[in-house]
Structures are given as C-alpha cells and as structure tokens.
Amino acid sequence: MPTLTALVPGAYERGLLCIAHAVTAAVFDRGLEAGADILTHVRIDSPLSEGIVQRMRDQGTRVSRTLVMMQVMAHARLAERAEAAVRTALENVHALHEAGTPLLVGTDANETPFAPVPHGPSLHEEIALLGRAGVPAADALHGAAAGVADALRLADRGRLETGLRADLLLVDGDPLEDPAVLRAPRAVWIAGEHVRAGVDDG
C-alpha cells in the first residue's frame, strides 16, 4: 500500500492518469484507497458494499467493467463456481450503474492462450453483457464513446460535434433499441476518412 500511495500522487504531479489493475476485492479496495482515476475490471469474488460504491461516486472513480474478460477468466479458472462469479460481476455493475458512477466501456482484449478476448468483436459482447446487468443501451454506447474519450482526456473525439474528429459508423436500425446492429455496419469512417463499405456493399 505505501508504494501505491506514493505512485498515485507522483503520477498526478506529472499530469498523468493513474489506472489500477484490480481483479480481487482486496486489490480493488487498495486501488480505490490510493485514489486511482480508473480501476480496470469489476470484482467477481465479492459484492461491492454500499460504502464502496458511494465512495467511488464521491471520488469520481471510473471502472472499466470488462465483463467479457471477467466472464472468460471465470470460466478459465473457477470451474463450477464460474457462473456464480459472473453473476457477482453483473450485480456489481448493476450497483455501480444505479449509483451513477461513471461508466467506462472496455474489454481488456488480448491474445493470450489462457484467456483470449478478441479485439473488436468483444466490444459487442461487452455491450450485451452490460445489458444483462441492467445498463440501458444508450448509457453503454455513451460509455464506449464519450465515456472513454473523457476518461483518457481525448477532447477531440467521442461525440458528434462540429470540429471534432469524425469516427463514425453507419448502421441499419436503431442501436438504442438493438445494439446488435452495430455488429454489421453499412459503412465506417475514421477521422473523417471513409475506410470501409458495409457488408452488403463489398
């Protein structure tokens, strides 16, 4: 703990963000106590207490929930206890959302043989899991765009506003009603450049 309480102020003095990798309850609590900006992963080993959730809201602590990663990890490590751990993670996400803590949507995508989470498609799975936790699609999409941009201090993106970087998806349907339509975009623009036609356009 002394190391953490030294590192976090040191990061702030240099104008840096502090992101803490936290999976278990003990590590999660230490990251919160140290004052990290972002905690990566939602707890799967125990419920978040009302006091912890309140403190996170008061401190403005963001959590990259990474439910898709927690699901993969649970099934890789916990055998018959996996589904209970996933339910705990979903309940913790629900509690965080109900309390109004900032939503940061991420996946912890990786290519490790032990617990692979594919880049790209895993974000759609993350949004679906957030829905299972009671997070409305509008909030999940905001957390994946403006929420991430705000957390990482990227003021030039994450919103549809004049003068900002134009990262756009054109989809058939309303993602607020059915986020699954994002899986098959009609067209994609990155920084204003059209980079991909839709699946039906070649």
Side-chain angles (χ1 to χ4, degrees):
M1 192 65 198
T3 302
L4 281 177
T5 54
L7 284 172
V8 174
Y12 293 158
E13 289 171 5
R14 292 162 176 79
L16 301 174
L17 285 169
C18 189
I19 303 174
H21 183 255
V23 179
T24 65
V27 178
F28 191 96
D29 293 348
R30 285 198 292 268
L32 182 61
E33 180 69 26
D37 294 292
I38 299 170
L39 300 176
T40 299
H41 307 309
V42 70
R43 282 168 29 176
I44 65 173
D45 60 343
S46 64
L48 290 167
S49 70
E50 290 186 14
I52 289 291
V53 172
Q54 180 66 45
R55 182 170 184 177
M56 292 178 66
R57 185 175 63 183
D58 293 345
Q59 291 183 189
T61 306
R62 291 175 168 86
V63 177
S64 183
R65 274 68 162 168
T66 67
L67 281 168
V68 63
M69 180 61 176
M70 296 299 92
Q71 180 172 255
V72 169
M73 289 288 291
H75 285 284
R77 287 187 171 182
L78 301 179
E80 70 278 359
R81 294 182 289 123
E83 285 304 316
V86 172
R87 285 195 298 272
T88 296
L90 292 169
E91 290 164 3
N92 283 336
V93 167
H94 181 75
L96 290 170
H97 188 71
E98 287 293 297
T101 64
L103 175 61
L104 179 60
V105 179
T107 65
D108 202 19
N110 69 87
E111 298 177 356
T112 61
F114 172 68
V117 174
H119 293 268
S122 59
L123 183 61
H124 301 298
E125 181 64 19
E126 182 72 16
I127 291 171
L129 286 168
L130 288 168
R132 284 181 56 192
V135 177
D139 293 340
L141 296 178
H142 183 273
V148 172
D150 291 347
L152 299 181
R153 302 175 184 169
L154 300 173
D156 65 335
R157 66 196 71 186
R159 293 175 173 82
L160 294 177
E161 295 180 10
T162 301
L164 299 189
R165 172 181 162 123
D167 298 326
L168 305 170
L169 294 178
L170 176 64
V171 298
D172 288 322
D174 184 352
L176 300 183
E177 295 293 330
D178 180 15
V181 301
L182 296 168
R183 295 176 183 264
R186 296 286 295 174
V188 179
W189 289 262
I190 298 176
E193 180 180 355
H194 184 213
V195 297
R196 184 185 136 188
V199 292
D200 296 330
D201 297 333

